[in-house]
Amino acid sequence: MEDVEWQSRRQNHKACTMIYSVLVDGISPEVEEEVSIVVCGQRFTCFASYLPYQLEVGRVYRAELLTMVFDEYIVQEISHAEPAVVREGTGYSYRIIGELRDGCLRCGGLTFCDEILLADFGFLEGKLISWKIDRLDISFVCVFFDAKATDGTAGKVDDLATSGLSSASNLPSGIGLGGFKVG
């Protein structure tokens, strides 16, 4: 099957709200709004469109990931690929690969929704698609339990996002849920 690319030139898209627990992994010293995060086992460099407070590296926050398309929606049906979010270049642009369901792409525990995907690309429902976004924004909502990654448990950073707040019985003594020290 040949991959086919579709485009739409719509403005003023509206995306649904998905709030995640994210670990701030880095803050750019050159660009105040550039933040590196880890969420659902994936590392992203985002543009922080809403920063209600000073961020701290190693701290877990509640945040919304927002897909931004400034001009054309570039959507391509693909036949052989795994769901993924792949950074394109050194900026904030990404290619999101996943199955389209009700205007949303789901990949690796993350869900990206946009009404244009439903309105203009609904004919691709149930198909594996690739969607190019111009910028991945992050909007911070609140500090999550004042949690901070601790030595030896930083590798457990995605536990909270992928497992939720179900149990802390498998963590070492003194370590909070998801490998974060609470307090």
Side-chain angles (χ1 to χ4, degrees), residues 8-84:
S8 175
R9 286 189 168 273
R10 284 227 179 154
Q11 298 278 329
N12 301 326
H13 73 286
K14 183 179 178 187
C16 68
T17 302
M18 297 295 293
I19 306 293
Y20 298 97
S21 295
V22 303
L23 173 79
V24 172
D25 189 49
I27 301 169
S28 170
E30 291 92 32
V31 181
E32 181 181 344
E33 296 87 1
E34 184 173 298
V35 180
S36 296
I37 62 163
V38 177
V39 59
C40 295
Q42 299 180 64
R43 186 175 312 277
F44 299 109
T45 299
C46 304
F47 182 84
S49 57
Y50 181 64
L51 275 169
Y53 39 76
Q54 176 124 6
L55 298 177
E56 212 178 297
V57 173
R59 202 167 281 286
V60 179
Y61 298 88
R62 299 289 288 163
E64 178 181 7
L65 294 177
L66 305 163
T67 54
M68 304 301 291
V69 177
F70 299 121
D71 190 22
E72 288 184 324
Y73 276 70
I74 300 173
V75 174
Q76 182 177 14
E77 181 179 354
I78 54 179
S79 51
H80 302 324
E82 292 293 319

Side-chain angles (χ1 to χ4, degrees), residues 89-108:
T90 58
Y92 310 108
S93 179
Y94 286 84
R95 184 161 300 278
I96 303 171
I97 301 168
E99 185 179 343
L100 183 63
R101 291 278 179 206
D102 299 320
C104 297
L105 285 178
R106 289 173 183 82
C107 49

